[in-house]
Amino acid sequence: MAIRTEELLMNIGPQHPSTHGVLRVVVKVDGEIIVDAEPVVGYLHRGTEKLAEDLQYTQIIPYTDRLDYLASMINNHAIVGAVEKAMDLEVPERAEHLRVIVAELQRIASHLVFFGTYLLDLGAMSPFLYVFAEREKIIDLFNRLCGARLTFNYMRVGGVKWDTPEGWVEEAKQFVQHLKKQMDMYHELVTGNEIFLNRVKGIGKFDTETAINFAMSGINLRSTGFNWDLRKNKPYSIYDRFDFDVVVGENGDCYDRYMCHLKEIEQSLRIVEQALDQIPEGPVMGKVPKILRVPAGEYYSAVEGARGELGVYIVSEGKDKPYRLKFRRPSFVNLQLLPKLLVGQSMSNLIAILGAVDIVLGEVDA
Amino acid sequence: MEVTKNTANPQEPAYVQFEGFSKEESQELSKAGVLIGTLEQVKAWARSNSLWPLTFATACCGIEMMGTGAAHYDLDRFGIIFRASPRQADCIIIAGTITKKMAPILKRLYDQMPEPKWVVAMGSCATAGGPYVRAYSVVKGADQIIPVDVYIPGCPPSPPALIYGLNKLQEKIRLEAKGKKVR
Amino acid sequence: MSEENKAPEETVKPEEPAKTETQSEAPKAEAKPEAPKADAAPEAPKAEATPEAKPAAPKPAAAAKPAAEKAPEPEKEPDPRLIEAQQRLETIKGKIATKFGDAAIEEADVKKITPTLVIKPEYWVDTVEYVKTDPSLLFFYPEAMAGTDYKDKGYIEVFTLLHSFELDYDIALKVRGARDNGSVPSITPIFSGFNWEEREIYDLLGLRFEGHPDLRRIMLEEEWQGHPLRKDYVVMD
């Protein structure tokens, strides 16, 4: 005898501990199976792009800190990189190295938070406590560098704001060695765990063609086996000088995305290590005009953010403020695929799939 | 347990400083092992040492709030344990920007919390709109929607600042039980 | 889980048209100009900047004219990336013109180093479909979309950036719609990745996309009055 089931509308969020912020998902379930899902965004829409039209280019940098607040340094890099490209400005060597070091450390911190919160979503508490202790060490390094813990406002057009304090480079080197050891522990702790594997293997699968059509980027695209990393494919800053591998997955499921995050931490550690060894002496700020005026025209420039391609589109009229500034936010674009991934899955997989897409709501809503 | 001795005044006997009690109360308690107070005071003492906040992390401040709850800063030692449901929460830490779209939800969450309840506005966005004060979609401070007890400045406030703010809230709860007006 | 660097062509498009073989050399050359510039940089700034240890807000820059930005070395020969962009623009423009006629293209220009084509709305969907599927172009990665309000000129412009893995190149396609009750055809059926971007433009700029599967406000509430990213929007409080 068949069990009679009924469709039920269920609301998740915007206040929910596992939606990583204020995302709301309205799902239609038939028993345990999801038949329809609709993400509702905009609960953190702060109008950054409108505010930016009334701000000078240097004043926009702190607002980018608050977009993807887990990867503020990379956001800084995106906006200063875009303005520098538009104005053809040169950046001193030391500043370029410092930028790469902090951007990669930030990527590590961001991926560590992914690791902790993803496991927390799946019901494991201890990884969260471990990674936040590690992240605290990175934050301390940043804190010594620029005085802030989360919203750094560190990079400037033409360089970086502060040179390293005494002993910073040595400390950073020690941290890299420390984290390398810790990574083995994380793999031992989680990666082989039977319960974890059952929750993520083969779940939330999509192929390369879908990912490209949905404009996915970053780990979401690479987990499908497609090699696309802006650090390699459209080299910016000085990334072409470092030896690192682009981590790609095979199946495009949640497990691959999890593994890509962990392996990317290892690759980022490699870059940080090389950059710390090669860092030259010299100034950290290049010669830039006091008031930045981007020549009239349109510019698009992108960096590889922690979550994908973070692009900045500037329309300038030749004034010190942009006519229009648009951020191509990877989380916002990546989230579009969510309904497609959820349909047909059981309710218990919802959080596992949503967590692996790895979104930050500050970036989704801007 | 640490015994405090007043070196300036040797006449005063040594006493144990108890968590959540004033100096006089601690002296009283050390001397006789008995403290006479009102039921309200006892309730306030218990409440202030087991504040369960609702996780209401809307933006950047939420990450610092998570960091405060994690191993390094460890909010648990103050009896503060995050709850995911407003029905189980005593206080709400508004960690982040409140947009106009979010405002009705915040009001609803606040209404769902059982009495007594307290509100902490963490960071400049929740205090007054912060850097987004000129944005078209942002509410200029959470106190336009619900009453706020403690404001914590910063963008975002560091974990020690959050701990300080929560300690101030505990103090407020205890003082109010003694009939003092705290604002 | 393999960390080896697979070539993009291997995974996505198994069969490669004969035409792309000649063009595949070009993208490699395009990436090159970055490298010598970056290598030459260490000596140049170091030599002149060592005396001043901490040039925070450098004074010599203030003396220089802010508007007149020049390349650090007075190289007279034009940027090779610019030349390539112009060549590509001509090729793509020619292809679109032969397919749809000259009337399809409103404007064609190189913005910085990106070939940019403004397409007439009535040819918009067909042109996007064409550059996506034509075997010699294959611009099938939708990278970015943005809308801009040009109040004085009376239109809202939609900018899309498409990437071709075959050519390893970006082009920008644009379409314009009227500010007042204007609309342009939607390309969401071609690129699913532009679904929310189009909704965002509709929400914040008020340009309608005909044929969009789900055109609703995305960031603001349904009852919201006005479109904030328009230049004449007045913030209420």
Side-chain angles (χ1 to χ4, degrees):
Chain A
M1 197 182 82
I3 302 168
R4 194 181 66 85
T5 57
E6 215 171 90
E7 279 191 358
L8 181 77
L9 210 61
M10 208 166 145
N11 178 55
I12 297 157
Q15 192 275 322
H16 187 279
S18 292
T19 53
H20 297 243
V22 286
L23 175 67
R24 178 174 164 216
V25 190
V26 183
V27 285
K28 203 188 264 176
V29 284
D30 184 10
E32 274 278 287
I33 306 299
I34 297 168
V35 287
D36 194 16
E38 198 216 338
V40 183
V41 302
Y43 288 99
L44 191 54
H45 178 64
R46 303 185 274 197
T48 311
E49 287 168 8
K50 180 78 177 176
L51 286 172
E53 287 173 10
D54 215 13
L55 295 170
Q56 292 181 355
Y57 289 99
T58 319
Q59 294 172 321
I60 298 168
I61 300 171
Y63 282 87
T64 63
D65 280 334
R66 288 155 182 82
L67 280 180
D68 176 356
Y69 36 78
L70 284 176
S72 311
M73 287 289 192
I74 304 178
N75 299 354
N76 282 183
H77 205 170
I79 180 84
V80 298
V83 177
E84 278 158 12
K85 256 187 201 165
M87 296 176 69
D88 289 319
L89 289 176
E90 287 281 332
V91 182
E93 275 293 289
R94 189 174 172 84
E96 286 279 26
H97 278 84
L98 277 173
R99 280 183 185 183
V100 168
I101 292 167
V102 293
E104 291 308 312
L105 281 174
Q106 181 75 86
R107 194 185 310 275
I108 294 166
S110 169
H111 285 359
L112 282 175
V113 173
F114 162 83
F115 174 72
T117 50
Y118 189 48
L119 269 294
L120 194 65
D121 291 349
L122 296 177
M125 186 79 192
S126 345
F128 169 75
L129 298 174
Y130 274 114
V131 297
F132 262 79
E134 295 308 332
R135 182 176 172 273
E136 205 64 42
K137 295 197 175 95
I138 301 179
I139 298 300
D140 276 348
L141 284 175
F142 286 164
N143 198 352
R144 289 196 54 201
L145 200 58
C146 60
R149 282 175 46 88
L150 194 73
T151 46
F152 305 108
N153 190 13
Y154 178 56
M155 294 181 197
R156 292 287 184 279
V157 175
V160 294
K161 179 66 187 159
W162 308 103
D163 203 346
T164 52
E166 210 171 304
W168 192 88
V169 174
E170 290 308 312
E171 256 174 63
K173 277 180 184 166
Q174 277 168 18
F175 170 76
V176 169
Q177 296 308 327
H178 165 77
L179 191 62
K180 271 186 178 169
K181 276 189 225 120
Q182 292 291 103
M183 292 310 295
D184 295 338
M185 189 188 77
Y186 293 149
H187 280 298
E188 248 169 63
L189 195 67
V190 178
T191 310
N193 187 312
E194 195 76 21
I195 303 166
F196 170 70
L197 291 181
N198 279 331
R199 295 242 14 216
V200 294
K201 272 224 159 155
I203 306 294
K205 246 172 127 162
F206 54 88
D207 58 5
T208 312
E209 215 163 306
T210 319
I212 286 180
N213 197 23
F214 274 86
M216 308 275 270
S217 52
I219 285 181
N220 284 299
L221 177 56
R222 287 196 288 276
S223 71
T224 63
F226 187 70
N227 187 326
W228 180 252
D229 188 321
L230 295 184
R231 289 174 295 175
K232 285 265 191 211
N233 296 74
K234 290 184 186 173
Y236 57 94
S237 190
I238 50 167
Y239 276 106
D240 48 351
R241 288 191 224 165
F242 300 112
D243 179 30
F244 67 100
D245 298 324
V246 177
V247 182
V248 290
E250 275 167 7
N251 307 314
D253 57 1
C254 290
Y255 175 74
D256 273 9
R257 287 196 276 286
Y258 159 83
M259 279 306 276
C260 283
H261 276 96
L262 284 195
K263 288 194 172 173
E264 221 167 75
I265 294 179
E266 284 158 23
Q267 295 304 325
S268 291
L269 283 174
R270 276 178 69 187
I271 300 176
V272 175
E273 211 173 10
Q274 291 169 47
L276 283 170
D277 284 336
Q278 293 170 13
I279 186 165
E281 292 296 319
V284 293
M285 194 71 193
K287 288 192 176 119
V288 287
K290 246 203 178 127
I291 295 169
L292 296 163
R293 286 195 175 82
V294 171
E298 290 166 33
Y299 311 93
Y300 179 83
S301 138
V303 298
E304 182 72 26
R307 279 155 194 84
E309 178 179 340
L310 178 64
V312 180
Y313 172 67
I314 299 174
V315 180
S316 173
E317 282 186 324
K319 292 184 184 146
D320 56 343
K321 294 168 184 169
Y323 183 76
R324 167 91 167 99
L325 188 76
K326 153 95 187 171
F327 293 102
R328 187 240 190 243
R329 288 119 44 207
S331 296
F332 175 71
V333 179
N334 291 351
L335 191 60
Q336 291 177 88
L337 190 61
L338 188 72
K340 226 175 138 111
L341 295 180
L342 290 181
V343 170
Q345 297 281 349
S346 83
M347 202 51 203
S348 56
N349 285 341
L350 187 148
I351 294 300
I353 292 169
L354 174 63
V357 174
D358 190 17
I359 48 163
V360 165
L361 265 293
E363 194 176 66
V364 171
D365 295 344
Chain B
M1 215 154 267
E2 206 177 304
V3 179
T4 316
K5 200 159 165 50
N6 195 344
T7 43
N9 184 5
Q11 253 70 29
E12 206 174 84
Y15 66 97
V16 177
Q17 178 65 51
F18 290 98
E19 171 78 36
F21 287 107
S22 68
K23 185 184 161 197
E24 291 74 28
E25 287 164 344
S26 293
Q27 279 172 336
E28 185 85 19
L29 206 53
S30 304
K31 204 160 68 184
V34 179
L35 180 69
I36 298 173
T38 60
L39 187 59
E40 279 306 311
Q41 265 167 278
V42 176
K43 270 155 60 183
W45 172 75
R47 275 170 186 158
S48 66
N49 283 316
S50 66
L51 269 181
W52 285 8
L54 173 73
T55 52
F56 188 73
T58 57
C60 339
C61 290
I63 304 298
E64 287 294 65
M65 191 168 78
M66 278 160 71
T68 319
H72 195 86
Y73 289 97
D74 196 11
L75 265 182
D76 299 9
R77 62 206 160 109
F78 302 104
I80 297 169
I81 300 165
F82 287 109
R83 306 304 301 177
S85 164
R87 304 277 185 205
Q88 303 165 348
D90 301 309
C91 84
I92 176 168
I93 301 177
I94 305 167
T97 322
I98 305 299
T99 59
K100 286 174 185 166
K101 200 172 178 179
M102 195 69 189
I105 292 151
L106 174 63
K107 178 83 179 76
R108 191 158 152 192
L109 285 168
Y110 181 74
D111 291 343
Q112 283 177 344
M113 280 165 54
E115 290 278 358
K117 52 192 170 186
W118 295 276
V119 179
V120 177
M122 179 183 179
S124 43
C125 286
T127 305
Y132 296 97
V133 70
R134 284 158 66 214
Y136 51 85
S137 58
V138 172
V139 176
K140 278 89 193 150
D143 49 8
Q144 304 206 346
I145 302 155
I146 54 173
V148 177
D149 294 282
V150 176
Y151 298 91
I152 305 172
C155 191
S158 64
L162 176 61
I163 292 172
Y164 180 76
L166 287 167
N167 285 346
K168 282 282 164 204
L169 177 63
Q170 292 178 326
E171 222 168 87
K172 176 181 175 164
I173 294 168
R174 289 177 209 133
L175 282 173
E176 278 188 338
K178 289 175 191 161
K180 285 174 187 154
K181 189 109 177 96
V182 185
R183 52 171 71 245
Chain C
M1 215 43 136
S2 62
E3 289 183 19
E4 72 209 274
N5 295 350
K6 284 186 210 156
E9 297 92 283
E10 278 171 27
T11 30
V12 179
K13 283 281 149 179
E15 15 114 39
E16 230 179 77
K19 205 167 181 185
T20 44
E21 274 180 19
T22 45
Q23 284 170 325
S24 66
E25 285 305 305
K28 302 285 177 290
E30 179 234 352
K32 281 272 153 60
E34 296 286 328
K37 201 164 103 195
D39 285 344
E43 287 90 43
K46 223 193 247 174
E48 56 185 357
T50 23
E52 33 181 276
K54 272 201 174 179
K59 264 191 188 149
K65 269 203 171 174
E69 267 309 310
K70 274 173 198 138
E73 285 115 53
E75 45 184 306
K76 280 281 162 268
E77 82 247 34
D79 195 339
R81 294 174 301 174
L82 192 67
I83 300 168
E84 198 204 346
Q86 251 139 14
Q87 283 166 353
R88 291 209 183 258
L89 177 72
E90 287 308 314
T91 329
I92 296 161
K93 195 178 150 191
K95 277 184 177 161
I96 293 172
T98 38
K99 179 89 181 164
F100 303 104
D102 283 329
I105 300 167
E106 219 172 306
E107 244 175 63
D109 196 5
V110 175
K111 305 270 186 197
K112 191 73 183 174
I113 50 163
T114 312
T116 307
L117 292 151
V118 184
I119 309 292
K120 287 252 175 72
E122 46 271 40
Y123 295 97
W124 177 236
V125 176
D126 290 337
T127 311
V128 173
E129 176 99 57
Y130 170 71
V131 297
K132 184 191 176 188
T133 50
D134 187 83
S136 67
L137 297 170
L138 290 173
F139 285 94
F140 62 78
Y141 183 46
E143 264 196 87
M145 187 181 232
T148 312
D149 174 25
Y150 291 97
K151 188 172 154 247
D152 303 336
K153 297 171 191 165
Y155 57 77
I156 289 168
E157 191 175 73
V158 179
F159 158 92
T160 57
L161 192 75
L162 303 175
H163 183 82
S164 163
F165 295 110
E166 299 287 324
L167 310 177
D168 197 6
Y169 209 76
D170 287 344
I171 54 160
L173 294 181
K174 286 178 171 181
V175 68
R176 288 165 184 169
R179 277 186 100 237
D180 315 311
N181 293 318
S183 74
V184 294
S186 165
I187 50 168
T188 301
I190 305 169
F191 289 116
S192 311
F194 284 149
N195 184 340
W196 283 15
E197 299 276 10
E198 285 188 347
R199 275 179 72 183
E200 198 190 9
I201 293 172
Y202 165 67
D203 186 356
L204 302 180
L205 285 156
L207 182 68
R208 293 191 62 83
F209 288 89
E210 298 300 332
H212 189 284
D214 183 24
L215 197 67
R216 284 176 296 133
R217 281 188 183 265
I218 186 164
M219 290 300 176
L220 305 166
E221 304 98 291
E222 281 297 328
E223 311 84 56
W224 193 278
Q225 295 291 316
H227 303 283
L229 275 183
R230 287 194 174 208
K231 289 287 167 187
D232 50 4
Y233 181 80
V234 183
V235 180
M236 286 308 279
D237 44 19

